[in-house]
Amino acid sequence: MVLTNGNEIFNNARKGKYAVGAFNINDLEWTRSILAAAQETQTPILVQTSMGAAKYMGGYELCLHLVQDTIKSMGITVPVVMHLDHGNYEAAKECIEVGYNSVMFDGHDLPFAENLEKTKEIVKLAHAKNMSVEAEVGSIGGTEDGIVGLGELADVEEAKTLAATGVDYLAVGIGNIHGVYPDNWKGLSFDRLKELADVIKTPLVLHGGSGIPKEQIIKAVSMGISKVNVNTELQLSFAKATREYIEAKKDLDIDEKGYDPRKLLAPGAKAITETTKERIQWFGTPSIK
């Protein structure tokens, strides 16, 4: 299966009242584990790199080739979208040139007029190459690649204006945050989500999907959320499984070569796959069979 843009996938999700997961990759293990979950469930999937993760892995071109080559080597047959997550203006343009299938231009920290104009420019550049574009309105809480959001609610009129630029999906702030949710988190604002979904037919995106209770995820999807971003939850699953392996002193087993990185990383990689499969089920993503 060759990489594809997200237009048909997410338009179908909005119409069908289900969501497709967007999962961040951080290295080869992450890439293989997430793609394995999609193949096992026979569901479309979006894999994405943040600016920081792409820098860590060696740049956007390397990340694209990693995903392309892994799809080929694993015999992946389900649709896969390669996406830039929370890119600034320069990163979005670079990923368009490199050949990603989809980019997010995150201009929420700019004055709205500037966010609007730069979104229009990115839409024009990306659509000329048959690539999807995601934009953001309303700050998502937490920190993502140095951009700090307080978790404000998206302004409905601003959201309508941004959607009118022709973006293919729109990230909206509805009380969601990046990272681990604090104990005093008040939950998603379904009132604001309804206001947004009633006037915007563009597929809506829920960032900070890690840590939101299952019932809130399912309700948000039923109301118009078509793409759910997951990163922290996979990191936590990986860390937990890896810690258990080390605490059991399996890495010290000389006879079994427990220190071999392929063995050391295997429990974490499996945990990523299982968590991804679980979230796919939460989102109601249908099989392509």
Side-chain angles (χ1 to χ4, degrees):
M1 171 61 69
V2 296
L3 289 168
T4 182
N5 68 33
N7 296 1
E8 184 176 1
I9 290 171
F10 291 100
N11 283 329
N12 288 344
R14 180 68 192 267
K15 293 173 185 175
K17 295 187 176 181
Y18 60 84
V20 173
F23 300 91
N24 288 64
I25 60 173
N26 295 281
D27 57 23
L28 175 61
E29 277 71 31
W30 246 262
T31 304
R32 288 181 58 84
S33 299
I34 291 168
L35 291 175
Q39 187 67 20
E40 289 178 31
T41 56
Q42 283 292 287
T43 55
I45 201 163
L46 184 149
V47 294
Q48 56 190 16
T49 55
S50 67
M51 293 189 296
K55 181 179 179 180
Y56 168 78
M57 286 191 280
Y60 298 114
E61 187 171 10
L62 187 151
C63 291
L64 175 61
H65 290 169
L66 172 64
V67 172
Q68 290 173 324
D69 292 345
T70 303
I71 287 172
K72 182 179 180 180
S73 69
M74 292 180 67
I76 302 298
T77 58
V78 297
V80 180
V81 182
M82 180 68 183
H83 181 72
L84 169 67
D85 185 30
H86 285 286
N88 59 25
Y89 181 67
E90 290 75 20
K93 288 200 299 181
E94 183 175 349
C95 286
I96 291 170
E97 287 301 313
V98 164
Y100 275 44
N101 308 99
S102 181
V103 297
M104 177 186 187
F105 166 58
D106 182 358
H108 83 267
D109 57 330
L110 303 173
F112 181 71
E114 185 178 354
N115 183 9
L116 180 63
E117 288 308 308
K118 287 188 172 178
T119 297
K120 289 179 180 179
E121 291 179 37
I122 295 299
V123 167
K124 182 178 180 181
L125 291 172
H127 283 183
K129 295 191 174 185
N130 196 31
M131 299 175 182
S132 304
V133 177
E134 177 181 347
E136 181 175 322
V137 60
S139 175
I140 310 300
T143 303
E144 184 81 10
D145 277 345
I147 299 175
V148 179
L150 301 178
E152 65 192 48
L153 301 182
D155 179 274
V156 177
E157 290 305 314
E158 288 186 354
K160 285 171 61 179
T161 302
L162 208 56
T165 63
V167 295
D168 304 289
Y169 14 91
L170 182 64
V172 292
I174 53 173
N176 43 318
I177 69 170
H178 291 117
V180 178
Y181 281 74
D183 292 337
N184 62 351
W185 181 59
K186 297 180 181 179
L188 298 177
S189 173
F190 293 107
D191 289 341
R192 181 55 51 90
L193 176 56
K194 183 179 187 305
E195 290 180 79
L196 292 163
D198 282 349
V199 296
I200 298 171
K201 300 310 175 188
T202 304
L204 302 178
V205 181
L206 179 65
H207 282 247
S210 299
I212 299 176
K214 180 180 179 179
E215 61 274 13
Q216 291 196 37
I217 291 280
I218 292 174
K219 183 174 181 180
V221 169
S222 73
M223 295 175 65
I225 292 294
S226 307
K227 173 177 177 280
V228 182
N229 282 30
V230 180
N231 183 22
T232 301
E233 216 137 41
L234 300 187
Q235 294 179 345
L236 292 172
S237 294
F238 179 87
K240 179 176 183 292
T242 304
R243 183 174 63 252
E244 290 172 352
Y245 181 90
I246 294 174
E247 288 179 347
K249 300 184 185 300
K250 293 182 179 180
D251 60 314
L252 301 180
D253 189 331
I254 304 300
D255 293 334
E256 294 296 323
K257 295 186 177 180
Y259 51 81
D260 186 324
R262 291 168 293 183
K263 293 184 177 181
L264 178 63
L265 297 173
K270 182 179 179 181
I272 293 170
T273 297
E274 293 306 311
T275 300
T276 302
K277 287 164 62 177
E278 181 183 54
R279 292 305 176 268
I280 289 170
Q281 188 272 327
W282 284 19
F283 305 155
T285 316
S287 168
I288 62 172
K289 290 182 179 178

